[in-house]
Amino acid sequence: MSSSEQRRRQLAREKFERQQKRREEARRRTRRITAIVAASVAVVAVVGVSAFVVAGKDDDKDKKGEAGASQSPAPEPSESESKAPAPPMKIDKKATYTMSLKTTQGDIAFSMDAAKTPETVNSFKALADKGYFDDTKCHRLTTQGIFVLQCGDPKGDGTGGPGYNIPDENLDALGKAGGDGTVVYPPGTVAMANTGQPNSGGSQYFLVYKETKLPPTYTPFGTMDDASLKAVQKVGEAGVEGGAGDGAPKKAVTVEKATVEKG
C-alpha cells in the first residue's frame, strides 16, 4: 500500500474518532442542561414563581453525520434514556440467528452467533420483534478511508437509540490491534456503532462493504451473505449525496421491515 493511501486511511480513522468524541461531548452537554433545568424548576417551586423557560440546543454539527461506522456510528441517549434497562435475556445462547432486512435497495441479511455476542443478539431480536427498525433509514455512508453503511437509528440523523446501552462483546474476534491501533474489519462484517466510550452501544450498527481498518472497539456481531454484501456495495458505489466522502447515501436506503429468526 502506498504511503499516500496509508495516510488517507489514517486521516479517515482520525476523523471518525473525532466525531465519536464530539458525540459524547454533546451528550454530556445535554445532561448538564437537563440538570440545570431540573434545579431551576425546584427553585421556582420553592419561591412560588409562576413560570419560566430554560432552553438549550446542541450544535447541529454534533447531531448530524456523527455515527462512526459507527455510532462508525451510535445513538445519543438522554440522561433518562441511559438508565433504561436492557431487555431480559430470552434467546438461546447456543444458537445462530439471522437478521433479515427488507430495504428499498434490496434484501440484506446477516447471521449472528449468540454464543459470541448474546447481549447484542438478544437486544436486536427484542427490538426487531417490536418493529423498532421498521421504516428507518440507513443514515450514513462513508466512502473514503473507511467503507461502511450505518443504520439502526429511528431518528435517521445519528442521534437516536433504544433508551439503553448494551455491553461490548467479542472485541478480540478480529485479532490484536497493529502498530496503528487498528484491526481489519473484512467486507461483510456487521458491527455495533458506539459513542467512543466502552459499553455505549444501542441500536445503531454498520455494514462493512469494503475492507476497513478501525480500532477493535466496535462489537462485531454479524456476517452478511454474498447477495447482501453486493447490495450494500452497490449503495457504496453510488456514493454520498453531494459527492462528499461521509454523509447520507445517494441511493437512499430505508429498512421497510426487519425480522430476527433462530437458525
Side-chain angles (χ1 to χ4, degrees), residues 26-40 54-58:
R27 184 171 68 175
R28 290 174 180 171
R29 286 200 298 273
T30 299
R31 289 177 174 176
R32 287 198 296 269
I33 291 170
T34 301
I36 292 171
V37 172
S40 300
V54 176
K57 182 179 181 182
D58 288 334

Side-chain angles (χ1 to χ4, degrees), residues 88-107:
M89 182 63 64
K90 293 185 177 181
I91 62 165
D92 179 352
K93 293 183 180 181
K94 297 181 180 180
T96 297
Y97 289 79
T98 297
M99 184 162 184
S100 301
L101 309 176
K102 180 182 179 182
T103 86
T104 51
Q105 299 299 334
D107 293 341

Side-chain angles (χ1 to χ4, degrees), residues 204-223:
Q204 292 187 40
Y205 57 96
F206 57 98
L207 310 169
V208 181
Y209 64 90
K210 184 177 178 180
E211 183 177 293
T212 291
K213 297 185 73 175
L214 284 168
T217 54
Y218 305 103
T219 296
F221 70 97
T223 304

Side-chain angles (χ1 to χ4, degrees), residues 113-136:
D113 189 342
K116 295 178 180 178
T117 55
E119 296 291 342
T120 306
V121 176
N122 183 68
S123 176
F124 269 65
K125 178 163 175 52
L127 292 174
D129 285 353
K130 67 178 184 179
Y132 177 91
F133 296 108
D134 297 352
D135 300 316
T136 60

Side-chain angles (χ1 to χ4, degrees), residues 208-251:
V208 181
Y209 64 90
K210 184 177 178 180
E211 183 177 293
T212 291
K213 297 185 73 175
L214 284 168
T217 54
Y218 305 103
T219 296
F221 70 97
T223 304
M224 288 183 278
D225 58 37
D226 290 342
S228 300
L229 175 57
K230 289 179 181 178
V232 179
Q233 287 173 334
K234 288 182 179 179
V235 175
E237 290 169 1
V240 174
E241 285 185 354
D246 186 342
K250 190 172 182 179
K251 276 191 172 183

Side-chain angles (χ1 to χ4, degrees), residues 148-192:
V148 305
L149 176 66
Q150 190 171 329
C151 314
D153 176 13
K155 292 184 178 180
D157 62 4
T159 66
Y164 60 82
N165 295 124
I166 54 179
D168 297 330
E169 298 179 296
N170 205 32
L171 295 184
D172 59 355
L174 301 178
K176 294 183 179 180
D180 61 356
T182 71
V183 295
V184 173
Y185 288 69
T189 301
V190 183
M192 288 298 297

